[in-house]
Amino acid sequence: MWGILGRRAVDGGFSASSLRRMRSGLVSARSYAAGSKEMTVRDALNSAIDEEMSADPKVFVMGEEVGQYQGAYKITKGLLEKYGPERVYDTPITEAGFTGIGVGAAYAGLKPVVEFMTFNFSMQAIDHIINSAAKSNYMSAGQINVPIVFRGPNGAAAGVGAQHSQCYAAWYASVPGLKVLAPYSAEDARGLLKAAIRDPDPVVFLENELLYGESFPISEEALDSSFCLPIGKAKIEREGKDVTITTFSKMVGFALKAAEKLAEEGISAEVINLRSIRPLDRATINASVRKTSRLVTVEEGFPQHGVCAEICASVVEESFSYLDAPVERIAGADVPMPYAANLERLALPQVEDIVRAAKRACFRSK
Amino acid sequence: MALSRLSLRSNRFLRPSTTAAALPSSIRRHVSTDTTPITIETAVPFESHLCDAPSRSVETSSAEILSFFRDMARMRRMEIAADSLYKSKLIRGFCHLYDGQEALAVGMEAAITRKDAIITSYRDHCTFLGRGGELVDAFSELMGRKRGCSNGKGGSMHFYKKDACFYGGHGIVGAQIPLGCGLAFAQKYSKEEFVTFTLYGDGAANQGQLFEALNIAALWDLPAILVCENNHYGMGTATWRSAKSPAYFKRGDYVPGLKVDGMDALAVKQACKFAKEHALKNGPIVLEMDTYRYHGHSMSDPGSTYRTRDEVSGVRQVRDPIERVRKLLLSHDIATEKELKDMEKEVRKEVDDAVAQAKESPVPEPSELFTNMYVKDCGVESFGADRKELKVTLT
């Protein structure tokens, strides 16, 4: 059952067509059904926004270059042509202003999808995300809810330097009242963004620029217009029994590569794709650690007070007696992001870092 | 509510008002229901920027002027009661009082409907009352009780009344301005013929986000009315020390503006009516209300270190909004001195009763700590200070 997406492809009126781009390509060693279609993360996000705009006239898109420019990263491509300027709004470069306007529109019952060109610029608007959006339902004892989505690329890109490379997962996920999601695959992107747009609470949706062009196999179910993933549930991307590796976003790909390398050396790693940073799926994480007895937690962002720190604390609190080794953290280096390519590589987690930490947790020397 | 009580109580016959639409003396009307149009000239002319100022002749009625008196008296008494509750430590934290500025709240309400939206700063008690909020809900909230308009979870700065399109109550200076433009955006998006009044002070008038939001509002023709409540002090800083150009009604630059005597409820009404018509046709407009607060910035501020007591008492003598309306009622023979004094006594009793009732209201249940985090909880966990002791699954 393909729903709207399928009908649109037949009509040919679907400008942001991910279906036309589908090819039954090489299926990777990931556990997806054989012969499934593929979709880039970009198309996944685009189709998700498109379907939700089609289904609910209160959904509208707002941000810099989202309309005529087709989106700085082409995520909103075709939407202006399809829905017109009353649903897709190009804003001036004034994050505090347009974010506040988005939150106010959400107070009044509309469903804005506000794009930050990168989450680095969200800092200009962070008061509205936290004080105007996250806390309103609580402060008003349920009178004012805020059904808004703040989305955009988060974390490091390639060579964009210190001011354009920060990961905001830890900051936003520390705030009660927000939901914070971080997709990895195309299926994650579709399911989580659709869930976020439908959600009556404010959602921070952290994408990754380097994942936009990556193609993933995608199931029939995920292509359906009613497809939604639950918020607050992690996904076990790869089952294993010796060590648990938790991570999110781009690092999921690195963790999967690390798991393959570890398998060659006889270590079976279980890779958990968090999908949801807040609420954090502590149950899945702890169940996995109770099975494997070892934890390596990975993130791209700054190490101090990071997502990994929260996961380590949770595991130590809830599963201490199951641990056979100290918890391990692999995170971005504790420095502003340098520009030089070799330094940038040193500042970010690499596959070999994850492998090394997993081996340490298994008490194996190099 | 208040008016009907008066009409039940009062079976006095009145002398007819001496105006252009004078009644024959054989017809006696109850003051509270007399909606015969009266025209009053505002004492101070409007100053305008990029638009033609509205007429100084304001259409009103006896009933309306009397309601101004009663509503302002209620607001005044509420704020004074809040002052003593704060001093007796029944109200904690921040408490920003509005006494002196009441004309703004009542004048605005007279010009608009409950489907037009209002959003304001932390100095929100009287705005809440103006939108139909109950005294007991206000006092309960101030004292952190369950009965409070935000169930005790918000406090002084976070009163809301969504069913009357009152969107709070905001603690971050200036944040309400883009939020208000967002409300206006939603009104335009939904093709409703309503407007949003977003209120802010002379301190907030310098915030960058004001100019960001106003730019977008003007570009997109949003029905947003920015109302600068210029009480001349941003906390302890006078306007001449904080603004290079304190002509706030002109600061919109390409956006028209109007400067209004904010202590004159009728002038406020006229300006708001004018602004609503303008905003629906031409997009945003800035209103600068020249007003004054008798209290300091908040209950922690005596309000006398940056202004003289003479200044405060001077304004009280010459410009007090309630006294002006009292004089109007007396000079137009709409009510007698005794009637007005009786009305003030009734209001005082109303307020005292509400305070007593609020004092009896219980504090929120401990379980309320974790409610209203999300609309859709999705099985989220939340924790108390000792997470091994207090852990809750939100449902």
Side-chain angles (χ1 to χ4, degrees):
Chain A
M1 216 280 280
W2 281 21
I4 293 172
L5 207 66
R7 285 199 292 278
R8 289 259 158 67
V10 168
D11 295 343
F14 185 50
S15 59
S17 172
S18 43
L19 287 174
R20 287 184 208 129
R21 301 258 219 104
M22 256 166 243
R23 51 196 186 280
S24 52
L26 247 166
V27 177
S28 70
R30 303 185 197 116
S31 52
Y32 293 105
S36 56
K37 310 221 160 38
E38 285 211 344
M39 190 182 226
T40 61
V41 170
R42 176 178 286 113
D43 289 342
L45 295 168
N46 184 282
S47 63
I49 301 173
D50 191 340
E51 286 163 22
E52 295 306 306
M53 286 181 78
S54 174
D56 186 348
K58 294 194 170 169
V59 177
F60 69 94
V61 171
M62 184 160 73
E64 294 156 13
E65 311 299 350
V66 295
Q68 283 185 28
Y69 195 87
Q70 306 297 318
Y73 299 99
K74 306 291 177 268
I75 307 303
T76 51
K77 186 173 158 125
L79 296 178
L80 176 63
E81 286 68 31
K82 184 167 180 189
Y83 294 101
E86 300 207 336
R87 302 287 298 283
V88 180
Y89 291 84
D90 281 321
T91 63
I93 307 173
T94 51
E95 277 77 5
F98 70 71
T99 306
I101 286 178
V103 175
Y107 282 0
L110 296 185
K111 294 188 172 180
V113 178
V114 175
E115 176 173 303
F116 290 116
M117 200 180 279
T118 76
F119 264 92
N120 300 286
F121 315 140
S122 74
M123 292 199 288
Q124 312 230 278
I126 199 166
D127 177 63
H128 281 298
I129 299 172
I130 304 206
N131 281 322
S132 304
K135 299 177 183 173
S136 281
N137 198 53
Y138 191 86
M139 288 194 296
S140 69
Q143 274 187 76
I144 314 274
N145 72 302
V146 192
I148 193 167
V149 176
F150 304 104
R151 52 155 294 272
N154 173 63
V160 293
Q163 293 181 341
H164 289 76
S165 304
Q166 193 164 331
C167 173
Y168 292 87
W171 284 23
Y172 288 124
S174 72
V175 180
L178 281 182
K179 292 173 179 168
V180 179
L181 303 177
Y184 162 60
S185 63
E187 174 176 309
D188 286 357
R190 266 185 64 77
L192 292 176
L193 188 52
K194 284 160 81 65
I197 294 173
R198 293 182 197 186
D199 200 281
D201 297 307
V203 181
V204 170
F205 194 83
L206 303 172
E207 301 159 7
N208 185 289
E209 194 214 310
L210 298 176
L211 282 178
Y212 284 154
E214 246 189 73
S215 230
F216 291 83
I218 191 150
S219 65
E220 294 288 322
E221 192 204 341
L223 289 170
D224 189 273
S225 62
S226 62
F227 178 66
C228 255
L229 284 172
I231 291 179
K233 296 239 62 78
K235 179 184 179 196
I236 299 180
E237 290 284 350
R238 179 188 175 120
E239 283 191 21
K241 54 180 186 52
D242 294 330
V243 60
T244 298
I245 305 178
T246 67
T247 188
F248 60 94
S249 189
K250 185 152 147 289
M251 290 290 125
V252 175
F254 282 35
L256 288 169
K257 290 204 181 87
E260 299 212 358
K261 292 224 156 95
L262 289 164
E264 285 163 21
E265 303 195 37
I267 297 177
S268 155
E270 178 150 290
V271 176
I272 300 182
N273 170 6
L274 293 174
R275 283 181 164 175
S276 179
I277 319 295
R278 183 173 190 107
L280 191 61
D281 190 351
R282 296 166 211 278
T284 299
I285 297 167
N286 277 282
S288 173
V289 172
R290 289 176 183 211
K291 184 173 75 168
T292 65
S293 318
R294 297 158 212 283
L295 174 72
V296 174
T297 175
V298 183
E299 68 181 313
E300 205 184 70
F302 295 140
Q304 191 164 337
H305 311 298
V307 176
C308 292
E310 175 63 30
I311 293 175
C312 288
S314 174
V315 162
V316 164
E317 281 163 354
E318 295 184 41
S319 307
F320 182 72
S321 55
Y322 293 82
L323 285 169
D324 283 349
V327 293
E328 295 276 351
R329 278 191 294 175
I330 295 294
D334 208 7
V335 299
M337 183 66 67
Y339 167 66
N342 64 320
L343 293 182
E344 188 180 53
R345 199 179 183 283
L346 284 174
L348 289 167
Q350 303 300 333
V351 174
E352 55 259 31
D353 295 310
I354 304 174
V355 169
R356 189 185 318 112
K359 281 171 155 177
R360 266 201 313 259
C362 294
F363 295 107
R364 302 272 207 91
S365 57
K366 292 201 197 91
Chain B
M1 167 186 75
L3 290 174
S4 60
R5 204 183 286 156
L6 180 62
S7 61
L8 282 171
R9 178 192 78 82
S10 166
N11 53 9
R12 285 163 213 282
F13 296 120
L14 292 180
R15 288 153 284 165
S17 29
T18 52
T19 64
L23 301 166
S25 54
S26 57
I27 297 175
R28 276 83 174 257
R29 288 179 199 261
H30 293 298
V31 144
S32 63
T33 53
D34 184 358
T35 53
T36 315
I38 303 175
T39 307
I40 310 279
E41 288 270 301
T42 65
V44 172
F46 299 103
E47 268 184 76
S48 69
H49 170 71
L50 297 185
C51 65
D52 292 323
S55 158
R56 282 169 71 176
S57 304
V58 187
E59 264 191 37
T60 179
S61 68
S62 307
E64 183 172 80
I65 305 176
L66 208 55
S67 78
F68 283 173
F69 183 83
R70 192 178 194 84
D71 291 341
M72 287 198 283
R74 185 184 294 115
M75 289 173 181
R76 178 69 57 92
R77 277 256 56 92
M78 173 180 70
E79 298 295 71
I80 291 175
D83 174 299
S84 19
L85 287 171
Y86 192 90
K87 285 172 177 151
S88 2
K89 299 203 192 304
L90 283 164
I91 299 178
R92 310 176 312 121
F94 293 129
C95 189
H96 307 87
L97 300 177
Y98 202 73
D99 50 315
Q101 299 184 217
E102 299 90 348
L104 228 150
V106 304
M108 184 176 291
E109 289 296 336
I112 65 177
T113 70
R114 291 273 166 81
K115 293 217 152 146
D116 295 300
I118 298 183
I119 191 168
T120 187
S121 67
Y122 42 76
R123 205 176 298 279
D124 59 350
H125 308 162
C126 298
T127 315
F128 172 73
L129 232 58
R131 288 266 90 180
E134 300 275 342
L135 283 167
V136 64
D137 296 341
F139 286 120
S140 303
E141 187 61 35
L142 289 171
M143 293 195 271
R145 308 298 171 96
K146 197 150 86 163
R147 170 86 200 252
C149 49
S150 300
N151 295 3
K153 307 259 284 268
S156 167
M157 299 184 283
H158 306 296
F159 284 19
Y160 304 83
K161 198 170 184 357
K162 191 167 178 189
D163 58 13
C165 293
F166 174 50
Y167 289 90
H170 292 269
I172 306 296
V173 171
Q176 71 274 25
I177 301 166
L179 295 172
C181 293
L183 295 170
F185 176 95
Q187 286 166 327
K188 181 167 177 150
Y189 188 100
S190 314
K191 307 208 189 315
E192 298 166 3
E193 294 279 293
F194 299 113
V195 298
T196 298
F197 286 80
T198 180
L199 280 53
Y200 59 96
D202 45 281
N206 300 312
Q207 278 261 315
Q209 56 188 320
L210 185 161
F211 299 94
E212 294 189 16
L214 194 58
N215 177 45
I216 293 177
L219 270 174
W220 297 352
D221 279 317
L222 304 182
I225 298 153
L226 272 63
V227 182
C228 178
E229 299 185 272
N230 181 6
N231 59 23
H232 304 280
Y233 296 93
M235 200 153 140
T237 306
T239 53
W240 63 269
R241 288 211 298 143
S242 67
K244 186 72 177 172
S245 161
Y248 299 104
F249 69 110
K250 292 186 185 167
R251 296 274 292 275
D253 185 13
Y254 40 83
V255 168
L258 205 63
K259 184 165 171 178
V260 185
D261 177 3
M263 307 292 259
D264 179 349
L266 288 168
V268 172
K269 174 189 168 181
Q270 186 83 323
C272 292
K273 183 161 171 284
F274 172 80
K276 177 170 174 174
E277 280 161 23
H278 182 280
L280 284 172
K281 282 204 302 280
N282 303 320
I285 183 168
V286 177
L287 298 180
E288 180 187 334
M289 302 287 183
D290 185 356
T291 183
Y292 200 84
R293 54 164 162 81
Y294 297 139
H295 270 87
H297 163 71
S298 72
M299 286 304 299
S300 329
D301 169 25
S304 51
T305 57
Y306 47 86
R307 52 186 193 173
T308 62
R309 291 190 202 279
D310 285 345
E311 180 187 294
V312 182
S313 54
V315 174
R316 219 188 260 278
Q317 270 159 31
V318 175
R319 295 183 70 204
D320 184 86
I322 301 177
E323 290 315 303
R324 287 168 81 151
V325 169
R326 189 197 308 272
K327 286 198 186 87
L328 203 58
L329 290 167
L330 295 175
S331 68
H332 281 73
D333 289 328
I334 298 173
T336 63
E337 275 214 46
K338 178 163 192 323
E339 278 166 345
L340 295 179
K341 284 241 155 15
D342 286 344
M343 207 181 289
E344 284 178 294
K345 275 205 204 103
E346 272 177 33
V347 159
R348 192 172 185 142
K349 180 168 192 315
E350 235 186 287
V351 168
D352 290 344
D353 287 348
V355 170
Q357 213 185 330
K359 280 180 178 169
E360 294 305 306
S361 170
V363 294
E365 301 296 317
S367 59
E368 289 291 319
L369 183 65
F370 296 107
T371 57
N372 307 124
M373 193 88 68
Y374 300 111
V375 174
K376 192 169 161 194
D377 287 320
C378 55
V380 174
E381 293 167 319
S382 194
F383 306 95
D386 180 348
R387 58 209 288 140
K388 297 208 163 155
E389 176 70 17
L390 185 54
K391 174 172 143 168
V392 156
T393 303
L394 306 181
T395 45

